[in-house]
């Protein structure tokens, strides 16, 4: 915009997600997680700019045109569980009609009875009650809207599932059911073009604040702070021992009620006003003069003073 300023919402985000893997992307609100998800699907505002590459099945998502994204990527190559599910549901269509339309468009199911049965099955996977299928989005609670969006995202069996806060508004039992269903989705062979043996598995990128859900489902964990990835590591090592290496990552775990319940001091910086060096330095008890220079990523952690092998209290 004329007279406006540019803000680097996400910078240097280097990672991959393998077949059969769940990568959990975690970090405080406003750090750029959902912006990253929007970039992969071509859903950024018109004045946003992207650079780099995001490759899926030979296609660069960041340079694909809108026609390709709409007809080939969204729903077919990437299934999305959106952060604000009610806003993504069609307001003048019932949940049943949206599920059945998605089944007809993305699967090989044909015939009225078969499509209707497939829609009910999709709802059941997400524990969406059959008695609410004929309701409109405005008649749903936040948790029901979340379950409807999950059901829609799973219908196409896309090779990559992008779940942006998929457990919002759910009680603990439903959280566990949802992440278990997402795990089954990842572990189930995908019907992808060129795979005759059915041995190609799906991948899941889950953006979440729910660290308990991440621990339950993730193979690896990526931690984002102020628009940058600061740590990428194995989930068992992250949640167990030796624990996270970046002080911010460790602070996230120590803030949990079942851990130390100690909040990270201070507030995250504004993305438009980042310090010259390490963005976490003003909140970090390990910071020194060296942190005035932006740290390079070494051994999957971007920190001048990472924790080494000492564990974190379970």
């Amino acid at each position: 915009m004329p007279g406006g300023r540019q803000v680097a919402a996400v910078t240097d985000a280097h990672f991959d997600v393998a077949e059969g893997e769940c990568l959990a992307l975690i970090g405080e609100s406003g750090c750029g997680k959902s912006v990253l998800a929007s970039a992969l699907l071509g859903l950024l505002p018109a004045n946003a700019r992207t650079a780099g590459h995001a490759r899926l099945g030979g296609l660069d998502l960041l340079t694909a045109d809108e026609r390709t994204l709409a007809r080939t990527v969204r729903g077919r190559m990437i299934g999305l569980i959106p952060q604000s599910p009610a806003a993504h549901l069609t307001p003048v269509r019932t949940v049943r009609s949206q599920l059945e339309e998605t089944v007809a468009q993305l699967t090989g199911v044909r015939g009225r009875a078969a499509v209707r049965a497939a829609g009910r099955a999709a709802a059941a996977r997400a524990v969406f009650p059959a008695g609410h299928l004929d309701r409109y989005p405005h008649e749903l609670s936040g948790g029901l809207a979340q379950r409807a969006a999950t059901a829609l995202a799973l219908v196409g069996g896309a090779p990559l599932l992008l779940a942006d806060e998929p457990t919002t508004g759910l009680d603990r039992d439903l959280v566990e059911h949802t992440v278990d269903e997402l795990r089954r989705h990842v572990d189930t062979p995908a019907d992808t073009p060129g795979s005759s043996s059915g041995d190609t598995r799906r991948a899941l990128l889950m953006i979440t604040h729910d660290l308990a859900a991440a621990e339950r489902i993730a193979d690896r964990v990526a931690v984002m702070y102020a628009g940058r990835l600061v740590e990428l590591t194995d989930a068992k090592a992250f949640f167990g021992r030796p624990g996270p290496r970046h002080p911010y990552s460790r602070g996230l775990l120590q803030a949990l009620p079942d851990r130390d319940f100690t909040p990270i001091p201070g507030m995250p910086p504004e993305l438009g006003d980042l310090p010259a060096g390490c963005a976490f330095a003003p909140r970090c008890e390990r910071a020194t003069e060296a942190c005035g220079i932006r740290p390079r990523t070494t051994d999957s952690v971007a920190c001048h003073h990472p924790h080494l092998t000492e564990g974190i209290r379970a």
Side-chain angles (χ1 to χ4, degrees):
M1 295 178 61
R5 62 173 180 169
Q6 292 185 346
V7 175
V10 178
T11 307
D12 298 333
H14 299 285
F15 65 92
D16 58 6
V17 188
E19 292 178 6
E21 179 184 40
C22 170
L23 176 65
L25 180 60
I26 65 175
E28 290 168 291
S29 297
C31 70
K33 305 186 301 298
S34 293
V35 171
L36 177 60
S38 296
L40 296 177
L41 287 161
L43 297 176
L44 291 172
N47 63 345
R49 298 291 180 269
T50 59
H53 302 282
R55 303 192 184 280
L56 176 61
L59 177 68
D60 190 341
L61 300 173
L62 297 187
T63 59
D65 57 66
E66 175 58 26
R67 180 184 178 90
T68 300
L69 290 168
R71 295 194 173 191
T72 305
V73 175
R74 298 176 195 137
R76 291 175 171 82
M77 295 180 70
I78 302 178
L80 172 66
I81 302 176
Q83 184 179 29
S84 302
H88 283 71
L89 298 171
T90 304
V92 296
R93 302 276 302 279
T94 65
V95 175
R96 186 193 303 277
S97 67
Q98 293 182 61
L99 276 171
E100 292 178 0
E101 179 183 51
T102 304
V103 167
Q105 289 182 345
L106 300 184
T107 72
V109 177
R110 295 292 181 267
R112 175 65 177 166
V115 168
R116 196 172 183 86
R120 289 195 301 268
R125 288 182 65 185
V127 200
F128 187 89
H132 290 60
L133 282 170
D134 292 314
R135 293 190 177 186
Y136 293 88
H138 74 272
E139 297 177 299
L140 304 178
S141 66
L144 284 174
Q146 185 72 57
R147 283 181 264 173
T150 300
L152 286 164
L154 295 177
V155 164
L160 174 64
L161 182 61
L162 203 166
D164 192 354
E165 301 291 355
T167 59
T168 299
L170 305 181
D171 63 35
R172 203 68 235 168
D173 287 343
L174 284 173
V175 167
E176 293 180 357
H177 175 92
T178 297
V179 296
D180 289 348
E181 189 59 48
L182 296 180
R183 184 75 246 185
R184 279 191 289 272
H185 182 81
V186 170
D187 293 337
T188 302
D191 296 326
T192 55
S195 176
S196 58
S197 61
D199 59 356
T200 301
R201 291 192 295 165
R202 304 180 179 95
L204 169 63
L205 174 60
M206 184 173 76
I207 296 169
T208 185
H209 288 102
D210 190 337
L211 297 188
E215 183 176 10
R216 188 177 180 92
I217 190 176
D219 298 295
R220 289 188 299 153
V221 176
V223 183
M224 180 172 280
Y225 185 78
R228 294 177 180 271
L229 290 183
V230 297
E231 185 165 6
L232 179 61
T233 188
D234 176 79
K236 290 183 178 179
F238 184 90
F239 291 106
R241 295 188 181 275
R245 298 191 60 205
H246 196 283
Y248 173 65
S249 307
R250 189 159 290 216
L252 288 177
L253 282 191
Q254 289 174 331
L256 293 176
D258 60 343
R259 303 260 182 163
D260 285 347
F261 206 28
T262 304
I264 301 173
M267 296 291 292
E270 295 290 336
L271 294 179
D273 188 27
L274 296 177
C278 173
F280 186 62
R283 308 173 70 188
C284 183
E285 62 181 16
R286 299 168 72 92
T288 66
E289 290 184 4
C291 302
I293 299 174
R294 181 177 297 164
R296 295 183 178 181
T297 300
T298 304
D299 295 331
S300 299
V301 60
C303 182
H304 291 292
H305 309 295
H307 292 270
L308 298 177
T309 58
E310 67 268 31
I312 181 171
R313 187 173 67 82

